[in-house]
Amino acid sequence: MTQGHRPLTGKVALVTGGGRGIGRAIATELARGGASVAITYRGSQAAAEALAVELNQAFDVAVRPVLCDVREASEIERAFAEVKDTMGAVSVLVNNAGMTADNLVMRMSEEAWDDVLATNLRGTFLSSRAALRDMIRARGGRIVNITSVVGVSGNAGQANYAAAKAGIIGFTRSLAQEVASRGITVNAVAPGFVMTDMTAGLTDEQKEGIRQRIPMGRYGEASEIASVVAFLASDAASYITGQVINVDGGLVMA
Ligand code: NDP
């Protein structure tokens, strides 16, 4: 395949939860841009392996599926070591892995709270910490955290998820300040609603209700999230840090 402009050539990207949904689109966009890409998965081994072959063939870049439960520090350390040994030190980290376990607070179990906080927020912290050592040594790097518009707006039935996503925003801005002088940028992308497995459980009525609140009148495509992540990962975004970019068809304007 002929390659056009490849702004991410030479970069080594790690996308958590890259086997399906938005993470899959992000991994694809980064590979298209010329980056080597590590796709981490927890349950979706077959999907991650198939995507790695597909992207390698399509874009002629190294793509590696890597097992990693982002809730576990030891797994994160092992995954980063594996990537460093086989692909080189990570220069672009995308914290995409996430989950929901919706319920009203009154009925929410501690497990649902802990699991959602651990996957979305603790996972983002652990992966970022693991990536920083080499980024600081390299005097450069990019961290992009996937939050959500509900981290700002809140959402009934998603207090755990909204708290985790709001936490990611505070984490992003704090880390951005800690590492700005090292040439590392840390930003967040806040999708509105995108049809993936995560949103598949909504009823048709809920889907239509949400659609009507979106000024652009439609759901987002995973590729529309991915293109913003790829931009933030590129040298073109070198002076942007500590920002939260909403990609939501105008749903939240603040
Ligand atoms: P999906 O449910 O389709 O995919 C979730 C991904 O996260 C999977 O790749 C899954 O990996 C991974 N994952 C979940 N738990 C873990 C874990 N413990 N360790 C490692 N990986 C894990 O969700 P989306 O693609 O929709 O969501 C991607 C991100 O975008 C999430 O952070 C989500 O919160 C956010 N987002 C999504 C929106 C939407 O409308 N879809 C809106 C706003 C934000 P595996 O399959 O291998 O287990």
Side-chain angles (χ1 to χ4, degrees), residues 8-33:
L8 303 176
T9 300
K11 297 191 189 283
V12 178
L14 186 150
V15 182
T16 65
R20 61 190 172 97
I22 292 171
R24 179 189 168 93
I26 292 170
T28 302
E29 207 51 40
L30 297 179
R32 189 195 313 280

Side-chain angles (χ1 to χ4, degrees), residues 2-221:
T2 54
Q3 313 293 350
H5 179 52
R6 308 237 290 176
L8 303 176
T9 300
K11 297 191 189 283
V12 178
L14 186 150
V15 182
T16 65
R20 61 190 172 97
I22 292 171
R24 179 189 168 93
I26 292 170
T28 302
E29 207 51 40
L30 297 179
R32 189 195 313 280
S36 306
V37 185
I39 301 167
T40 80
Y41 62 89
R42 182 183 52 149
S44 302
Q45 179 175 5
E49 284 174 353
L51 181 62
V53 172
E54 188 185 316
L55 297 183
N56 172 258
Q57 286 174 354
F59 304 118
D60 194 24
V61 290
V63 185
R64 186 179 180 91
V66 180
L67 174 67
C68 179
D69 184 333
V70 297
R71 297 169 298 185
E72 301 294 336
S74 58
E75 288 210 21
I76 301 245
E77 294 299 331
R78 191 196 35 70
F80 273 83
E82 180 181 329
V83 172
K84 189 174 179 177
D85 286 351
T86 53
M87 310 177 85
V90 171
S91 53
V92 174
L93 168 65
V94 183
N95 284 306
N96 165 80
M99 65 166 292
T100 53
D102 297 354
N103 217 331
L104 297 173
V105 169
M106 249 175 63
R107 297 192 196 125
M108 188 176 288
S109 67
E110 290 161 52
E111 192 189 1
W113 175 269
D114 290 344
D115 228 23
V116 168
L117 268 288
T119 304
N120 292 278
L121 184 55
R122 178 180 156 86
T124 296
F125 153 63
L126 291 173
S127 301
S128 300
R129 192 179 63 178
L132 279 173
R133 238 171 288 128
D134 283 325
M135 288 184 180
I136 286 172
R137 202 169 295 139
R139 299 198 69 77
R142 295 277 192 274
I143 298 179
V144 183
N145 299 323
I146 308 301
T147 176
S148 165
V149 293
V150 309
V152 170
S153 66
N155 195 22
Q158 291 198 306
N160 51 355
Y161 182 72
K165 293 305 196 188
I168 287 177
I169 294 174
F171 176 80
T172 298
R173 292 182 171 144
S174 303
L175 181 57
Q177 292 176 35
E178 289 184 16
V179 299
S181 66
R182 310 302 187 105
I184 303 166
T185 69
V186 189
N187 291 289
V189 171
F193 285 89
V194 178
M195 275 307 150
T196 63
D197 294 342
M198 185 174 280
T199 38
L202 294 169
T203 64
D204 286 347
E205 203 183 345
Q206 286 170 323
K207 283 182 196 160
E208 181 55 19
I210 290 165
R211 197 190 62 72
Q212 286 178 6
R213 289 195 287 122
I214 302 170
M216 291 186 75
R218 65 172 177 85
Y219 283 78
E221 300 290 334

